[in-house]
Amino acid sequence: MKRRDFISGLGGAALCSSAARGQQNSSIKQQSTTKKRIAQVAPAIKVEDLKGDATTRVYFDELKRDGYVEGENLTVDRYSGEGRLERYESLVREVVDSKPDLIYTAGTPLTLRFKAATNTIPIVTMTGDPIRFGIVSNIARPGGNITGVSVDAGVEIWAKRLEMLAEAVPKLVNVVYISTRGNPNGAGGKATQEAAKKLGISLLYGGLDSPVTEAEYRRVFDSIQRDQADGIIFSAEFEHYPHILAIVRLEQQIRLPTIHEVSEFVEAGSLMSYGLDWRPAVRTMAIKSAEILKGANPGDMPYVQEVRFELVINLKTAKSLGLELPPSLLARADRLIE
């Protein structure tokens, strides 16, 4: 996961805060001598892979700058849903029963379950629109025990993704929307369906059953070949992330242009992505976590809205697919991979 940094609005304030923290680094270390415990809960990445994950490294590197070092004054208990949606309930109970000082997690479904399970343990998370999904009632002052970062740019981003794919692929007729079961009935799925109607595109559905494994992706891609699709659009779900390399291999095998939310897929060989740069968002989460560990109230900490997105295109993949991308699309790209 590698992209240019952005933090807008309240995120910019976090950067200013970062500079101030740098000047006070020695005093922070003295203040944070009491050992704290964080529960890191991933929706899909396996526990044994979590510590080496790029998002984990960014988060804990930022915490270290704030004076919290794993193995010294910080204990980290790691958990994973392993892409099994039916596991979330028992996983959340296990985490809450362990009574950590803070829960660091991601994903709207998992966050909603934590919201239902505890109103006392501080939770820092990355989700979709926190108001629309009922995570908090106010962005500026969330109240309760949850704060974090929203990476939802509004449902219109789904129309933009499909429009960009249609711009890249002449005579796009049949597109497959790949997601977990039930996702097509959510806001993103419905927005994609509406955009397809306006563009005259037939939107097919490739539903992943739980657990979301490499075998599930192979099954869905086998059906895509039978349906003779012209392109693929992936949902914005954390369940896809542990399978980036496997997904890109399958895309290359059936030679179909695909658009994703994050650029890691494009760096691995997929055609396009349009979405957020996660690094600044994760740093913001770490800054919030450090403040909470020092005694701040999460209910008083604004839920940061990330609004700046980037378009990334893999030119080598476009060439291998025989696509001659229009100059207007290339000019809008924030990054071209050659």
Side-chain angles (χ1 to χ4, degrees):
M1 299 182 178
K2 310 171 185 73
R3 287 183 300 282
R4 63 180 172 79
D5 284 354
F6 69 88
I7 289 186
S8 61
L10 293 169
L15 287 178
C16 295
S17 168
S18 180
R21 286 194 321 279
Q23 297 172 358
Q24 302 168 0
N25 194 47
S26 59
S27 61
I28 287 173
K29 287 182 178 179
Q30 291 174 357
Q31 294 168 11
S32 57
T33 53
T34 303
K35 199 158 193 174
K36 298 291 185 178
R37 186 161 60 88
I38 288 178
Q40 180 184 7
V41 190
I45 299 173
K46 292 182 178 180
V47 170
E48 58 266 32
D49 298 329
L50 260 181
K51 198 164 185 179
D53 176 61
T55 57
T56 296
R57 291 197 300 271
V58 169
Y59 178 83
F60 286 100
D61 283 349
E62 187 66 39
L63 271 185
K64 186 175 182 179
R65 281 190 280 271
D66 284 288
Y68 289 100
V69 181
E70 183 175 1
E72 294 181 13
N73 60 352
L74 184 67
T75 299
V76 182
D77 298 326
R78 294 185 168 89
Y79 305 82
S80 174
E82 297 185 349
R84 299 173 181 266
L85 304 183
E86 70 278 3
R87 259 203 85 216
Y88 283 5
E89 294 292 347
S90 60
L91 176 65
V92 165
R93 284 196 300 271
E94 180 184 356
V95 174
V96 170
D97 287 347
S98 74
K99 295 182 173 58
D101 295 298
L102 181 141
I103 296 169
Y104 162 51
T105 189
T108 300
L110 200 49
T111 301
L112 285 171
R113 285 170 173 82
F114 274 117
K115 177 182 171 68
T118 178
N119 58 10
T120 57
I121 301 173
I123 298 168
V124 178
T125 185
M126 181 188 294
T127 66
D129 185 338
I131 301 295
R132 176 158 52 88
F133 290 110
I135 295 168
V136 299
S137 58
N138 187 292
I139 291 286
R141 290 183 65 85
N145 60 319
I146 303 176
T147 188
V149 178
S150 170
V151 293
D152 191 330
V155 294
E156 62 271 13
I157 195 170
W158 288 100
K160 290 180 182 178
R161 286 193 183 108
L162 197 56
E163 288 166 5
M164 289 173 178
L165 186 62
E167 194 173 350
V169 184
K171 299 179 181 178
L172 190 67
V173 177
N174 298 310
V175 174
V176 178
Y177 178 79
I178 297 180
S179 74
T180 59
R181 300 285 184 188
N183 183 275
N185 296 320
K190 289 179 178 177
T192 307
Q193 293 169 32
E194 288 299 316
K197 287 178 185 176
K198 291 178 182 178
L199 292 169
I201 292 172
S202 174
L203 191 68
L204 310 172
Y205 173 48
L208 297 162
D209 291 323
S210 183
V212 180
T213 63
E214 185 173 338
E216 264 302 286
Y217 287 104
R218 286 198 299 270
R219 180 186 63 77
V220 169
F221 272 80
D222 286 343
S223 70
I224 290 173
Q225 280 189 300
R226 293 193 299 270
D227 292 335
Q228 297 183 325
D230 306 308
I232 302 171
I233 182 169
F234 267 79
S235 66
E237 294 178 277
F238 285 95
E239 283 74 19
H240 301 313
Y241 297 166
H243 307 287
I244 289 175
L245 295 179
I247 288 170
V248 172
R249 279 198 304 270
L250 290 167
E251 290 173 11
Q252 292 171 341
Q253 286 171 14
I254 65 174
R255 294 181 52 77
L256 279 185
T258 306
I259 187 164
H260 291 273
E261 178 197 22
V262 294
S263 67
E264 284 74 27
F265 290 92
V266 187
E267 291 159 1
S270 192
L271 177 64
M272 303 168 63
S273 68
Y274 182 59
L276 69 108
D277 180 349
W278 59 266
R279 286 178 182 270
V282 172
R283 291 188 190 108
T284 298
M285 293 171 72
I287 291 168
K288 287 176 174 292
S289 298
E291 291 175 359
I292 291 169
L293 292 176
K294 294 170 197 167
N297 180 1
D300 295 333
M301 304 172 72
Y303 211 108
V304 176
Q305 174 71 57
E306 298 292 359
V307 295
R308 196 170 172 187
F309 287 69
E310 66 172 1
L311 170 63
V312 181
I313 300 173
N314 191 312
L315 296 178
K316 182 179 178 180
T317 299
K319 184 177 180 180
S320 71
L321 293 171
L323 296 174
E324 191 168 328
L325 301 179
S328 59
L329 182 63
L330 295 175
R332 299 202 305 277
D334 297 274
R335 185 152 54 99
L336 299 172
I337 296 176
E338 302 185 59

